[in-house]
Amino acid sequence: MIEFLEATFTPNPAPVGLISASDVALEAGASEQQAVVFIAASWNMAETFTGRAYRGIASGEVLVRAHDPHEYRWPRYPFPDIITAEVWSDHLRGWDPVQVAYRGGYLDLCAGQMYRLVQAPTPPVDPMPQHVVQAVFNLAVYQLIQQPARREFKSQTMQDTTVTREAVMGVLYGSGAGALLASEVRK
């Protein structure tokens, strides 16, 4: 059982050219600056939902303490090639390097030790799966459309067609990104 867990990951920048900010802005009726911000947020959401690091990880650190001997699974996939482990030493009043068995994303932790685990950088997924790119696009557009300032309309009329908010609620209920990313979720 894990007593304490704190993870800090810094992803690589969002891939450039996969999603056009101007396309997202045009689709959502927003500015390009807003689209850039929401695309970055959508990459974070997609990676959090699936547990995968599509952009790759520039740096990652996990502080963990296990109550009992524990086989700990690294929280980000793809797993790094190298993980450096250190144990807190009250005697040294600092971190002391230690060898920890690491295989295929799993580490063997001893009971009662506070570990600092640091991963080697991982590259972005190449080629990026098209359904992941589509999911990020859908999430960005959906978030831009569903901003609080835009939810206030009751109806829109364009030529001879009137669309009420209630009529399009089924379409706006979800972006569909969850269905696109469901096959990427790790067990």
Side-chain angles (χ1 to χ4, degrees), residues 1-5 64-74 100-101 103 106-113 115 117:
M1 178 173 89
I2 300 292
E3 286 181 4
F4 177 81
L5 178 66
V64 62
R65 180 183 313 150
H67 181 65
D68 302 316
H70 186 76
E71 186 176 60
Y72 176 71
R73 185 182 71 172
W74 194 250
V100 174
R103 66 205 172 286
Y106 288 88
L107 298 109
D108 292 327
L109 305 179
C110 296
Q113 300 284 342
Y115 287 91
L117 308 169

Side-chain angles (χ1 to χ4, degrees), residues 7-15 39-45 47-48 52-61 76-77 119-124:
T8 306
F9 291 97
T10 304
N12 290 327
I39 290 170
S42 297
W43 278 109
N44 287 336
M45 290 172 63
E47 289 178 338
T48 300
R52 298 178 64 99
Y54 298 106
R55 297 174 290 175
I57 299 293
S59 66
E61 178 181 280
R76 289 282 188 238
Y77 183 85
Q119 81 165 63
T122 59

Side-chain angles (χ1 to χ4, degrees), residues 27-44:
E27 186 83 21
S31 71
E32 218 167 308
Q33 291 86 4
Q34 285 179 309
V36 168
V37 170
F38 280 84
I39 290 170
S42 297
W43 278 109
N44 287 336

